Structure formats: C-alpha cells, structure tokens
Amino acid sequence: MGDFRQGDETTATRVKTEVLSGLTVALALVPEAVAFAFVAHVHPLVGLYAAFIVGLITAVFGGRPGMISGATGALAVVMVALVVEHGVEYLFATVILMGLMQIAAGIFHLGRFIRLVPHAVMLGFVNGLAIVIFLAQLGQFKVPGGDGEWLTGVPLMLMLGLVALTMLIIWGLPKVTNVIPAPLAGIGIVAIVVIVFNIPVPRVGDMASIAGTLPPFHVPFGEGEGLYGTPLAPLNFETLYIIFPYALILAAIGLIESLLTLNLVNQMTDQRGGASKECLAQGAANTVTGFFGGMGGCAMIGQSMINVKSGGRTRLAGIAAALFLLSFILFAAPLIEQIPLAALVGVMFMVVIGTFAWNTFRIMRVSTKFAGFVTVLVTVVTVLEDLAIAVVVGVIVSALHYAWQNAKRITAKSYTTPEGAKVYQVIGPLFFGSADGFMELFTPKEDPGVVIVDFAESRVADQTALSAIEGMAKKYLEEGKELHLRHLSRDCRRLLTQTGLIVEKSEDDPEYQVAANYPVQTGLFGDAH
C-alpha cells in the first residue's frame, strides 16, 4: 500500500492523508455515480454499486496506486440504447463480457499500445476531458426533479455563491494548513453552513436516495425476472449477438480512458504504472461488477485528480474511497443526502482548473502547426463525440502525418565504382508511402550493366516495399542488366527470401548481422502482376 517505513509518525500521517483523501473522493463519487446511472437509464444503486466494486478491485490490484475508478459518463452513453431496448439484465451480461475482453487485453499485453498516443493527443485528451467535466456540472444548476428548467433569481445566486465559497476554501486553505485535504474542508464547511442556516439549495438527496443494501450476487443469464423487474438474458447465441458489439465498444473505451488516466497520473506523481496490470484489474473489476448488479466502469480522471491533489498516493486512498462509499449506501445515506450539490460542483470546478493543460497555448506557439491542429482536433471530438473516438482519430491523423513525412524522405546517392558498376545508396525508410518515390530514384535504361543497391541507410518495411524492389529489379532484368542488393538487415533478407526474390545467399556479417551482397530475380510479386 505504499512506503510506510519511515517511522510511526510518518506512517500515521500518511495513513491519515490517504484516508481523508479517500473520504473526499467518496463524497465526490456519489453525485457522479447517480448522474451516470440516470444517463444510462438504470437505478441509481446500479451506478453506486459499480463505483464501489470497480473502485475497490482496481484500488487493490490496479497498475497505478492512487488512481480512482468507478462508473463513468463515457461508458454510460454507450449503454443507453442497450438498456432501453433490452433491459438492465442485458447490461449486466454485457459488463461481464466486457470484463473478460479486458482481461484478455491484459493477458496479451495490449495495453502497451497506449505508447503510440502522441503528446499532442494527450494534451487534447486532457483539455477535452476538462471541458466535459465542466459541462457535466452545469446540469446541477437545473431545478431538481423539474423538466430541465434552469435555476434563476435568488436560488441561482445562492448556488453560485456557495460554489464560489467552496472554490475559495480549496484555493486558500493550503496556504494556511494541510491538516485535512482542502476539497474535503470545502465540502464540510459549505455543508455545515447550508444545514445550519437551512439555505434552500439543491442537495444530493434531491437527485435520488442513495440508501441501499450490500450489492446482491446475481446471475443475469437464465429465465425469469431480474433485479429490477426486467427479464433475465437468455444464455444463447442470440444474446451473445446482441451484447458482443456493446461489450467490445465498452471494453475499448474503458481501457483507453483508464490507460490515458494512468499515464496522466504517472506524470503528476513522477512514477510509473503497469498498463497490462491495469487492464487485468479493470477486467476483473467489471466481470465481478456484472455479477453484483453494477453498470461497470473505468478510471475516472476527475476523481483521480481529486485524490492526487488531496495527497493520495497509495492503494489505501482508493480502498478507503470505496469503503466510505459503501458505508454511505448502508449507514449514512440521510447525512450524505444533505450535502449541497454546490459544494461538490465547486470541487469539480477546481478539478477542471487543475486538469486543463493551460500551457497548451504556449506549447502551440512554439510547436508545429500540425501538433496544434491535432490537439485542437482531439479536444473538439472529445467534447462533441466521445473520448475513445477522439483518441483514435488523433492517433490515426498523427500516424498518417508521420507516414507522409517519412514518404518524402526517401532519397539516394549514386556513384560509379572503379570496375564500372553503379551504386545507389538508398536513404530513408522504404514502405507503402515511399514506394513510388523509390521507383523514381533509378534509371535502368541509362545505367551500366551492373547495378548495386545499398540499403545500409534504409529499411524495407512492408509488402509494398518488397513489391517496389521487385518492380525495380524487373526493369533492370528486362534491360539485360545485373542487379545486386547490399546490406539488408536480417529480417529484410528473410522477407525477400520468402518471396523468391533472392536466389543467392551470402554469409551474414557476424558483427552487424547484415549480408554483403544479394543477386536478385523476380519472384512472388512478379508472378502476381
């Protein structure tokens, strides 16, 4: 649970910080879980149970101590259509399958691909998510239980004033003392003011009651009625056909959001987390959640930021947050329901301020225009569509830009040997994007009878590159000229040998593992023309 081996006083201080940080996170989790349950059209306890179970399991086994997981809006919006059309039992079945997919991703170490996310995409992800968190809080400024009317007049002024008071406490308290986390102090002080003076502002209880029992073990497959009056999901291929697409999308979104949050927390705490371990923990958490009537979840950047800013660094903070949340459900619902939403909104507004990468504007002035474009693109798509879609779009656009830039770098230097052979020294990667440029480097009709192509400063990367080499070889052979390939890497040689392009092998250089010279003829790709 972290390094507590620095003496009893240090241990006690660290434990206090972690527990208080967990309490702060738990208080902030309540309205989020309830709100996301409403988004998914399920009972509030479905969101609260998910926040407890996912939060607890990932806190114990996850790849990033201090990171908080629970029910999230990114997953909730995907669940709506499934719940409306088939019922909540199909959702539980989908969450189980989603978890199994995430476990498979962890076993096969697919989390490592998060390294392919460029810095510009990370900036867009952080900024877009900050905006999404901000926009999500605006719903708290509507009349509770109404038809979407906004607060006006005195109620609105009271709400704004309490939000501002909470933010002021969070900003100013650390300048005076660090005895308790500033967000917890902000929630506590504002709640006391509202309760003592009976200020008429929306409270947690106005959203829904959070009172409940322990999460019940429940198998969503079979015949009969489920937990909330909807039919169980039949255990057959038709059910699998229905839930598989949802499970795949949810698994992908959950892992992308979790791994990006893991990287962000890594940067903030200057520590490293295990991507594959996090995939396994998220998968196990969602699998268990599906059997206990929860809506599933993933890492929550807002709550993770609250935890980190409150001093939470070990697994204890996440465990404490989950256990506090369960205690709210079982014992303290009447008290928690009295907390004003304004206090929690103030905390989340401070999270928005702390999450948004304000140095983005300075970075965009000094970085390339394309990097700035990607950052803005990912931010906009995150706000308008979805986090996972935004990240995938950002990675694809960045990859295409990278491929285009490398496609323009293929060049060649040429010279004639004393024996009269012409040598082409190819410079730059040879792949699908640079294949046409590669073909334009050679002049078979004008070249002498022996031509050597040196790949010491190049790399044969894919099938298109092999086809380009064979096309070039075919032109020289049609002119009756001899062609040799020099300094191919071992893997390139293997690829070319498999196509039948290389017909004479040479001994590899024992130190550099490159071949000295390869005569060639047309092979596999020539047969396909």
Side-chain angles (χ1 to χ4, degrees):
M1 291 186 184
D3 187 3
F4 294 154
R5 298 172 295 177
Q6 300 177 2
D8 292 338
E9 184 178 356
T10 300
T11 300
T13 302
R14 171 48 53 188
V15 169
K16 184 197 72 171
T17 300
E18 299 291 332
V19 171
L20 291 178
S21 180
L23 175 58
T24 308
V25 169
L27 292 172
L29 275 171
V30 173
E32 296 279 302
V34 172
F36 296 145
F38 286 154
V39 170
H41 289 204
V42 297
H43 193 280
L45 284 176
V46 176
L48 292 168
Y49 287 156
F52 161 62
I53 298 173
V54 174
L56 180 62
I57 294 177
T58 55
V60 175
F61 301 106
R64 170 69 270 164
M67 194 168 78
I68 305 298
S69 295
T72 63
L75 299 183
V77 295
V78 178
M79 301 171 179
V80 177
L82 176 65
V83 174
V84 170
E85 186 172 351
H86 298 283
V88 72
E89 297 298 328
Y90 279 80
L91 172 60
F92 298 150
T94 301
V95 171
I96 294 171
L97 182 57
M98 161 194 175
L100 295 176
M101 290 178 176
Q102 292 176 327
I103 291 174
I107 292 173
F108 292 104
H109 303 287
L110 300 184
R112 70 182 66 177
F113 290 106
I114 204 67
R115 301 174 185 173
L116 298 178
V117 178
H119 183 257
V121 175
M122 275 295 295
L123 279 179
F125 155 74
V126 169
N127 295 340
L129 214 50
I131 296 172
V132 169
I133 294 173
F134 172 78
L135 294 176
Q137 305 313 306
L138 298 183
Q140 310 300 348
F141 290 88
K142 293 182 178 180
V143 178
D147 296 325
E149 304 96 342
W150 295 93
L151 294 172
T152 57
V154 175
L156 178 59
M157 293 299 104
L158 289 173
M159 185 79 169
L160 291 174
L162 292 173
V163 169
L165 176 60
T166 305
M167 297 175 68
L168 181 63
I169 293 171
I170 296 173
W171 173 78
L173 186 64
K175 303 178 186 300
V176 179
T177 179
N178 290 315
V179 173
I180 61 174
L184 179 59
I187 295 172
I189 293 172
V190 173
I192 291 172
V193 170
V194 169
I195 294 172
V196 169
F197 294 98
N198 195 26
I199 300 175
V201 291
R203 307 186 188 190
V204 171
D206 294 326
M207 297 181 66
S209 174
I210 67 169
T213 61
L214 287 171
F217 179 78
H218 169 67
V219 178
F221 305 103
E223 300 294 334
E225 189 174 279
L227 288 178
Y228 299 96
T230 58
L232 295 172
L235 187 58
N236 53 38
F237 283 105
E238 182 180 353
T239 299
L240 180 62
Y241 179 79
I242 293 171
I243 68 174
F244 183 85
Y246 289 99
L248 183 62
I249 294 171
L250 291 171
I253 294 174
L255 289 184
I256 289 173
E257 184 162 355
S258 297
L259 295 177
L260 289 176
T261 303
L262 181 144
N263 280 352
L264 185 61
V265 176
N266 285 347
Q267 294 172 12
M268 295 184 65
T269 60
D270 197 25
Q271 297 174 338
R272 293 188 62 183
S276 295
K277 190 174 182 180
E278 185 63 31
C279 292
L280 291 171
Q282 293 286 339
N286 282 305
T287 302
V288 173
T289 300
F291 282 111
F292 282 89
M295 61 186 285
C298 63
M300 306 180 74
I301 187 170
Q303 277 64 27
S304 296
M305 293 302 100
I306 292 174
N307 188 44
V308 171
K309 296 295 178 63
S310 298
R313 292 293 186 275
T314 72
R315 299 188 185 277
L316 180 58
I319 294 171
L323 295 179
F324 275 125
L325 183 59
L326 179 63
S327 69
F328 297 162
I329 296 172
L330 298 179
F331 312 113
L335 177 61
I336 300 302
E337 289 170 7
Q338 295 303 310
I339 295 177
L341 292 175
L344 301 175
V345 171
V347 171
M348 297 310 294
F349 278 174
M350 292 302 288
V351 168
V352 169
I353 294 172
T355 301
F356 194 90
W358 298 101
N359 64 341
T360 299
F361 304 106
R362 181 172 56 85
I363 292 174
M364 290 175 64
R365 286 199 301 269
V366 299
S367 64
T368 63
K369 292 181 179 179
F370 179 78
F373 166 75
V374 170
T375 299
V376 173
L377 175 66
V378 173
T379 300
V380 171
V381 177
T382 299
V383 174
L384 297 182
E385 290 292 334
D386 177 77
L387 165 66
I389 294 176
V391 172
V392 170
V393 168
V395 171
I396 291 176
V397 171
S398 298
L400 290 175
H401 178 262
Y402 176 80
W404 175 251
Q405 292 299 109
N406 278 278
K408 297 188 296 183
R409 292 174 182 162
I410 192 81
T411 59
K413 298 178 181 178
S414 62
Y415 63 90
T416 303
T417 66
E419 293 79 13
K422 186 173 183 179
V423 178
Y424 287 92
Q425 292 180 315
V426 181
I427 302 170
L430 178 54
F431 66 112
F432 66 90
S434 60
D436 289 343
F438 172 80
M439 295 294 292
E440 295 171 359
L441 299 176
F442 303 95
T443 55
K445 294 184 180 296
E446 292 79 16
D447 287 344
V450 178
V451 174
I452 301 171
V453 182
D454 191 332
F455 287 91
E457 298 184 56
S458 182
R459 180 67 179 263
V460 180
D462 59 12
Q463 178 177 313
T464 306
L466 298 177
S467 179
I469 293 174
E470 185 165 358
M472 176 263 295
K474 183 178 180 180
K475 291 183 178 181
Y476 278 103
L477 294 178
E478 288 175 348
E479 295 293 330
K481 298 175 182 179
E482 186 177 342
L483 178 69
H484 299 266
L485 307 181
R486 179 178 292 174
H487 293 136
L488 289 167
S489 64
R490 184 184 293 271
D491 55 340
C492 295
R493 184 197 66 190
R494 186 183 302 113
L495 288 172
L496 291 170
T497 302
Q498 290 172 353
T499 68
L501 185 59
I502 296 175
V503 295
E504 179 181 329
K505 295 185 179 180
S506 297
E507 291 298 324
D508 286 344
D509 185 305
E511 180 177 357
Y512 299 104
Q513 297 185 335
V514 295
N517 192 29
Y518 293 105
V520 299
Q521 68 175 18
T522 56
L524 177 65
F525 295 101
D527 295 338
H529 290 165

